Amino acid sequence: MYQDLSYMRIPLPEDVLKLKNFGDFEGALKMIDHFLSKDIPKALRKRLEIEKEIIRVVSNDEYPYTYEEALKIMAGHIKDFKEEEMQYLKEISAADWIYIDGTVHFQRRFYENLIKTRTDLAARVMVEDAEDAQANELNRKLLNDNIKYMKEHGGRSVRTQIRATIKAKKEFEEIGRKVRVHLPVPKKCQQVSNIQILAASPEITYIAPEDAPQRTVYFETELQPDQEFMVEYAYDYHINYVELDPAKATGERPDFCLEEQAPHIMFTPYLRELRDELAGDETNSIVLARRFYDFVTTKVMYSYMREYFTLECIPEYCAVNQKGDCGVQALLFITLCRMSGIPARWQSGLYATEYDTGCHDWAQFYAAPYGWVYADLSFGGSAWRSGSIERWNYYFGNLDIFRMPANSEIQMEFMPEKKWLRGDPIDNQRGEFEYEDHGLLYSQLDVHQKLISMEEI
């Protein structure tokens, strides 16, 4: 079932919004049902139907920790942590929270987010969490070594093999029932070729075409006890090094990848004001793209996000709140570029190394005469915050080799279509799982990806 998210542009009725903001989700759903029982315009009906699904996601363990529980977590991990620090982090919007029945609740990854983005807190993490810090340092070394290699050789090619799995958590298993499962796999694109599906369990029912905008393998079977769905694949990945020179920019203005895509790639009044402030009288496409890159990487604080589906306009959220994760930052960059006549598009999938494999999003933009080049906003921002100017500059125009691109678009239907609304109707990185009469949320699933090997070719 493809859900037309463009209706999220429609405002919610005032009383629904009041109840939602207070965290009275049951009351908000009753109010929505009251409106839906009436003869209302189609657009409002569609918006309210979407909102019911959004409330279902937000209220399903997305914000599990009360203020007191969050404080206990911080005090248990951070040396000499004080309550006034917790209050300060909340007040400056460093820790994501909402009201649930009028009481403050923090997002499920608030602690991990604070440690990732705030060096003062990370330095006070107690000894038992030191392994994560070591893995982060090894990842940074990989990235820096990759930059050195790329600059010395002008490019790099690897053969990568990854194993991905998805399964329902025990309490959400419905044994013997028909299940429909999708898992992301590499798509053929500028940097990816020679894709092979090496193994799968159970037998794959359908493999989407290599050029599918959001590519998956699809399983359809009757669920067995403790059943895990697995796919293992390999692909060649090649990336060239480029140094973008504004003096070489041409006046070419292509007419592709410039459109709005509701509800997220939208040229809102605020984003128009921001674009004009950043652009001034500049017309050079490379200079403009760099100004947008610099704004996002230096002004937007990285932050783990709740599900994208719960955000009404992702790039505007990023620009207003000046926080967001990799995809939120990428969509702001893409939108600013498109508003300026610079073609820009989405890529996403996995970041995969021996130390860390997980979901990641980034952007491409068209810079004549260079063609399509890359911008990784969150990696650039991380480099800037850590003082690595070389790495900050590198991710304007370039990527590393540690990628598995599965998607070139947002908000695209799978092949075959899902019957129920996706857990993530924006992106496709973790997989999807549904029964005949309902789908599962990510809080109800166990999803894992693992790098098996990466070899130079």
Side-chain angles (χ1 to χ4, degrees), residues 6-251:
S6 67
Y7 288 102
M8 289 178 69
R9 294 176 297 173
I10 308 301
L12 290 171
E14 180 184 36
D15 285 345
V16 172
L17 198 56
K18 289 177 185 175
L19 292 163
K20 178 182 177 181
N21 288 341
F22 184 75
D24 182 359
F25 299 128
E26 184 178 350
L29 291 172
K30 287 180 179 178
M31 182 63 70
I32 289 172
D33 286 338
H34 168 68
F35 276 96
L36 291 175
S37 70
K38 301 192 296 184
D39 184 13
I40 58 175
K42 174 186 173 182
L44 180 57
R45 181 173 297 277
K46 291 287 188 181
R47 176 66 182 93
L48 290 168
E49 289 172 350
I50 292 171
E51 189 60 33
K52 290 186 72 170
E53 294 294 334
I54 291 174
I55 290 174
R56 174 175 172 250
V57 172
V58 172
S59 61
N60 193 282
D61 208 30
E62 187 71 14
Y63 290 83
Y65 302 118
T66 65
Y67 183 92
E68 292 74 20
E69 290 169 337
L71 177 60
K72 185 176 180 180
I73 289 171
M74 294 298 289
H77 289 80
I78 307 297
K79 185 178 180 180
D80 299 326
F81 189 81
K82 304 291 192 298
E83 182 176 358
E84 51 265 32
E85 294 181 88
M86 190 76 237
Q87 186 62 31
Y88 175 72
L89 291 168
K90 174 181 174 292
E91 289 172 350
I92 65 170
S93 196
D96 185 18
W97 62 274
I98 63 170
Y99 285 118
I100 298 180
D101 292 326
T103 301
V104 169
H105 280 66
F106 287 88
Q107 206 263 354
R108 56 187 170 83
R109 293 194 294 172
F110 85 95
Y111 166 75
E112 292 86 348
N113 185 67
L114 290 170
I115 299 310
K116 181 180 178 70
T117 59
R118 301 194 174 264
T119 55
D120 57 327
L121 292 176
R124 294 161 57 193
V125 171
M126 296 180 190
V127 176
E128 59 263 30
D129 295 322
E131 288 186 10
D132 288 340
Q134 183 181 17
N136 290 335
E137 185 58 38
L138 290 170
N139 259 313
R140 281 191 288 271
K141 185 178 185 306
L142 275 182
L143 296 180
N144 291 332
D145 289 348
N146 177 76
I147 293 171
K148 181 180 178 182
Y149 185 100
M150 291 286 286
K151 289 184 174 181
E152 289 178 355
H153 296 86
R156 198 172 184 184
S157 299
V158 292
R159 179 72 174 169
T160 301
Q161 185 172 333
I162 291 175
R163 184 178 190 267
T165 63
I166 189 171
K167 64 183 294 188
K169 291 181 178 178
K170 202 68 179 174
E171 60 268 37
F172 300 103
E173 282 187 340
E174 299 183 25
I175 308 303
R177 297 199 62 194
K178 181 179 177 180
V179 291
R180 296 156 51 92
V181 177
H182 290 263
L183 275 172
V185 290
K187 66 162 290 162
K188 188 175 182 180
C189 55
Q190 181 171 309
Q191 68 268 47
V192 172
S193 61
N194 192 21
I195 303 165
Q196 291 181 295
I197 305 298
L198 302 175
S201 177
E203 183 179 352
I204 294 172
T205 305
Y206 180 80
I207 303 175
E210 288 193 345
D211 61 352
Q214 293 195 336
R215 190 173 187 229
T216 68
V217 293
Y218 169 73
F219 305 89
E220 186 176 305
T221 187
E222 290 186 358
L223 189 66
Q224 304 301 309
D226 199 36
Q227 185 168 21
E228 181 178 74
F229 294 80
M230 179 276 291
V231 62
E232 193 168 309
Y233 50 79
Y235 56 97
D236 291 346
Y237 186 96
H238 174 79
I239 200 83
N240 292 318
Y241 176 65
V242 61
E243 288 189 12
L244 298 177
D245 183 355
K248 295 180 180 179
T250 71

Side-chain angles (χ1 to χ4, degrees), residues 288-304:
L288 283 171
R290 180 67 201 224
R291 288 185 182 181
F292 304 149
Y293 176 85
D294 288 355
F295 174 81
V296 176
T297 55
T298 65
K299 304 300 184 187
V300 176
M301 175 62 78
Y302 186 91
S303 177
Y304 290 135

Side-chain angles (χ1 to χ4, degrees), residues 316-433:
E316 187 161 75
Y317 174 96
C318 184
V320 169
N321 296 286
Q322 297 196 14
K323 66 179 181 179
D325 67 5
C326 52
V328 170
Q329 295 181 29
L331 280 171
L332 176 56
F333 176 81
I334 289 167
T335 303
L336 291 170
C337 284
R338 289 191 180 190
M339 294 171 71
S340 306
I342 302 170
R345 65 190 185 192
W346 176 265
Q347 273 197 346
S348 70
L350 300 177
Y351 171 75
T353 75
E354 59 186 296
Y355 309 113
D356 178 33
T357 297
C359 304
H360 192 48
D361 311 320
W362 57 95
Q364 286 188 284
F365 65 101
Y366 191 87
Y370 300 96
W372 284 107
V373 293
Y374 303 93
D376 191 316
L377 289 305
S378 65
F379 274 39
S382 174
W384 184 82
R385 289 191 300 275
S386 67
S388 179
I389 302 304
E390 180 184 26
R391 183 150 40 96
W392 178 51
N393 288 325
Y394 177 84
Y395 281 105
F396 178 72
N398 297 282
L399 281 186
D400 49 68
I401 57 169
F402 311 109
R403 308 290 168 120
M404 187 287 283
N407 313 294
S408 56
E409 302 282 351
I410 61 170
Q411 294 168 222
M412 300 297 290
E413 186 54 271
F414 287 164
M415 292 185 249
E417 294 184 3
K418 276 191 91 249
K419 182 175 181 180
W420 298 96
L421 181 69
R422 281 161 49 176
D424 183 355
I426 314 297
D427 204 1
N428 164 47
Q429 299 168 308
R430 293 167 287 184
E432 298 279 345
F433 193 113

